[in-house]
Amino acid sequence: MTLVIGLKAKNGIVIASDSKASAEITSNDTVQKIFKLGDNSAIGIAGDGGLAMYFLDQIKEGLNHGTGVLDLAEQIRKKGKEKFNDFFEHLDPNKRPSLSLLLTGYTKSKEPEIYTLNSRDNFVPRKSVTGFECIGVPYIADYLLNRLYEFEIDVDSGQELCVLCIQETGSQDTSVGGPTRVFSFSSTQSFKELTSEKVAELRKKADQYRVAQKSRFYPEDQD
């Protein structure tokens, strides 16, 4: 399985994922799940890994990244619906594989937006109203983000929050794991990835957060 998280910060957008792919008898911890779409937009994928990669390769061709993320979402909807119907015209819609996409970027007026698109409903874009979205295995991350996220978060803190959510999910669901990948960009700064060293620092901070919270229930004996 997969966990991809996108969130809006006051000075940019953060998008992060795990890197684990699991099958019945194999597992791989080096799978890329987030991809650049122009300098100021990016997309994350969840679902059948091989299918998702091929599908994305097919629909990326010819996308116009310069018209804003809303138009980009509509371009992906049209291309995605057409391509998926072409792939699986022999299957009843309810029996087709499921793919989820998380699209992040800026409108023409430089406003950050996040959309989710799913093959189950022909990739109709759904715009985030919370400032964050998760695809794949979202339950723990959704809970934490609803508790901890605020619209005024900055990119640095947003990166830390995404790492915490992925780490907590992986601790409870073994289908999420491998190195955490964290990316950010803004309307003026191009898409870039955090170094593995920086991610390791954030993972350590996430561990400290967990220990600090647990210690509230087990105070030291004061006698």
Side-chain angles (χ1 to χ4, degrees), residues 143 147 209-221:
Y143 169 76
R147 289 285 307 276
Y209 175 86
R210 181 167 54 208
V211 169
Q213 293 302 308
K214 185 176 180 180
S215 68
R216 292 175 182 269
F217 300 99
Y218 303 97
E220 294 181 357
D221 187 357

Side-chain angles (χ1 to χ4, degrees), residues 127-140:
K127 180 178 176 179
S128 171
V129 296
T130 59
F132 60 83
E133 288 293 341
C134 307
I135 59 172
V137 184
Y139 312 108
I140 294 173

Side-chain angles (χ1 to χ4, degrees), residues 7 9-14 153-160 184-185:
L7 65 80
K10 63 182 180 181
N11 57 336
I13 291 174
V14 179
I153 196 169
D154 63 24
V155 164
D156 290 343
S157 296
Q159 292 169 341
E160 184 177 344
S184 64
F185 60 94

Side-chain angles (χ1 to χ4, degrees), residues 4 15 33 35 37 42-47 51-53 55-57 59 63 72-73 75-81 84 98-104 114-126 133-136:
V4 178
I15 182 168
K33 302 178 182 182
F35 301 87
L37 293 179
I43 194 166
I45 56 176
L51 172 62
M53 294 289 286
F55 172 81
L56 191 58
D57 285 342
I59 68 168
L63 290 176
L72 187 57
Q75 293 178 58
I76 292 172
R77 182 193 70 79
K78 290 179 179 178
K79 284 177 172 283
K81 177 182 177 182
F84 221 70
S98 177
L99 288 183
S100 295
L101 309 176
L102 192 154
L103 175 66
T104 61
I114 302 173
Y115 293 89
T116 54
L117 304 88
N118 192 285
S119 62
R120 296 289 189 189
D121 56 5
N122 289 319
F123 299 100
V124 174
R126 285 177 166 75
E133 288 293 341
C134 307
I135 59 172

